[in-house]
Amino acid sequence: MAEKKFIKVRKIKGKFIKIKCPDCNSEQVTFVKASSHVNCSVCGAKLAEPTGGNVAISGEIVGEI
Ligand SMILES: [Zn+2]
């Protein structure tokens, strides 16, 4: 599997973000300042990793909550 590029989330209005999994297109909600890795609940792909501030994500943000 190719190495994914993780991009830190910029300032957002909400506390949670909805991420679209790049592998299976399912959507998952996660805390924007999550302190642990976030894996897709469907396929297990790593969607987000902690940075100390906002998480860095590999998918696409499709919503803010
Ligand atoms: Zn997935």
Side-chain angles (χ1 to χ4, degrees), residues 5-16:
K5 192 170 167 192
F6 284 78
I7 299 166
K8 191 169 179 175
V9 176
R10 291 169 186 272
K11 201 193 282 183
I12 62 160
K13 296 189 210 85
K15 286 190 168 65
F16 294 86

Side-chain angles (χ1 to χ4, degrees), residues 9-51:
V9 176
R10 291 169 186 272
K11 201 193 282 183
I12 62 160
K13 296 189 210 85
K15 286 190 168 65
F16 294 86
I17 50 175
K18 198 185 274 182
I19 306 168
K20 189 177 186 181
C21 176
D23 291 351
C24 72
N25 290 331
S26 69
E27 294 176 355
Q28 184 145 338
V29 174
T30 186
F31 185 42
V32 75
K33 293 186 192 300
S35 58
S36 58
H37 289 110
V38 177
N39 293 312
C40 176
S41 59
V42 177
C43 73
K46 192 163 82 169
L47 297 181
E49 57 183 20
T51 66

